[in-house]
Each structure stands twice: as structure tokens, then as C-alpha cells.
């Protein structure tokens, strides 16, 4: 909590930018402070074995530590390796975890 506001951290695959943007907007509208990813590496062509990816992951784990709650954005049932690591880290640090099922409508 900060100034009476809950701090939430969004986790999930960076393949799903729209899901992150929507969750960020919805949680901010509820009055929550939202911590989210630095960039959408899968969409922006980030080398997933690079030093900068490692730094982004380390900082994101720190965001998990800062948060009161962790929201796992589960789009279409996809949970990748990085997200699994985030879930394990959150569990180890006794964080409250919510799985947010994100439905994608195709019209």
C-alpha cells in the first residue's frame, strides 16, 4: 500500500500488449498503483537472451516484491516460461496472486 492505494504488478507474456494496456487502465481506474513491464519484448523484437532482457527481468522481480498483489494475465491459456518464473517468485515471496483470464474476441 502507498497513500492508501493498493499496488498491483501485472505479469504475463509480452506477446499480449493489448491485455497489459487494458489491465493497466482498469486497475488504475480502480485507484490502484500499477507496476507493469518495461517493454513488449516479443512484439518489439528484443533478443530474449540479451543482457537488457536479463535486466528487465530482474527489475520486474523487484516490482513483484513492491506489489501487494500480482495479476497474471492469462491470454488464451498461454503461460510462458518467464511468466512461470514470475509466479514461482511471487509464491516464494508470499504474494497474493490472481489469475486474470483474458478473452480475445475475434470478429
Amino acid at each position: 500500500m502507498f497513500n492508501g492505494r493498493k499496488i498491483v504488478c501485472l505479469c504475463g507474456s509480452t506477446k499480449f500488449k493489448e491485455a497489459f494496456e487494458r489491465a493497466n487502465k482498469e486497475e488504475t481506474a480502480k485507484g490502484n498503483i500499477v507496476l507493469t513491464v518495461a517493454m513488449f519484448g516479443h512484439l518489439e523484437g528484443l533478443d530474449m537472451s540479451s543482457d537488457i532482457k536479463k535486466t528487465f527481468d530482474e527489475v520486474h522481480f523487484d516490482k513483484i516484491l513492491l506489489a501487494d498483489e500480482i495479476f497474471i494475465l492469462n491470454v488464451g491459456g498461454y503461460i510462458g516460461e518467464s511468466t512461470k518464473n514470475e509466479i514461482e517468485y511471487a509464491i516464494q515471496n508470499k504474494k497474493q496472486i490472481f489469475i486474470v483470464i483474458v478473452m480475445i474476441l475475434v470478429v
Side-chain angles (χ1 to χ4, degrees):
M1 293 288 275
F2 182 80
N3 279 346
R5 295 186 186 280
K6 184 170 44 177
I7 301 171
V8 300
C9 182
L10 304 181
C11 298
S13 175
T14 59
K15 294 177 183 180
F16 305 112
K17 181 178 181 180
E18 183 179 311
F20 276 89
E21 290 173 340
R22 183 170 50 192
N24 189 352
K25 182 170 42 174
E26 289 173 0
E27 289 304 312
T28 300
K30 292 177 187 176
N32 296 327
I33 297 169
V34 180
L35 306 175
T36 189
V37 296
M39 70 177 289
F40 297 95
H42 287 287
L43 296 178
E44 297 175 35
L46 178 67
D47 177 356
M48 292 300 165
S49 63
S50 67
D51 287 342
I52 192 68
K53 164 68 166 122
K54 182 179 178 205
T55 299
F56 285 159
D57 286 348
E58 290 170 354
V59 171
H60 198 73
F61 284 131
D62 287 342
K63 291 175 184 179
I64 290 170
L65 286 179
L66 286 171
D68 301 306
E69 298 177 354
I70 310 305
F71 287 23
I72 307 299
L73 304 179
N74 181 341
V75 179
Y78 180 80
I79 300 287
E81 197 62 37
S82 291
T83 305
K84 288 177 188 173
N85 292 337
E86 293 166 347
I87 293 168
E88 288 175 14
Y89 189 74
I91 290 169
Q92 290 170 0
N93 287 282
K94 299 178 178 26
K95 296 296 176 173
Q96 192 168 24
I97 301 170
F98 295 91
I99 306 295
V100 179
I101 306 297
V102 181
M103 305 300 289
I104 299 176
L105 300 177
V106 179
V107 289

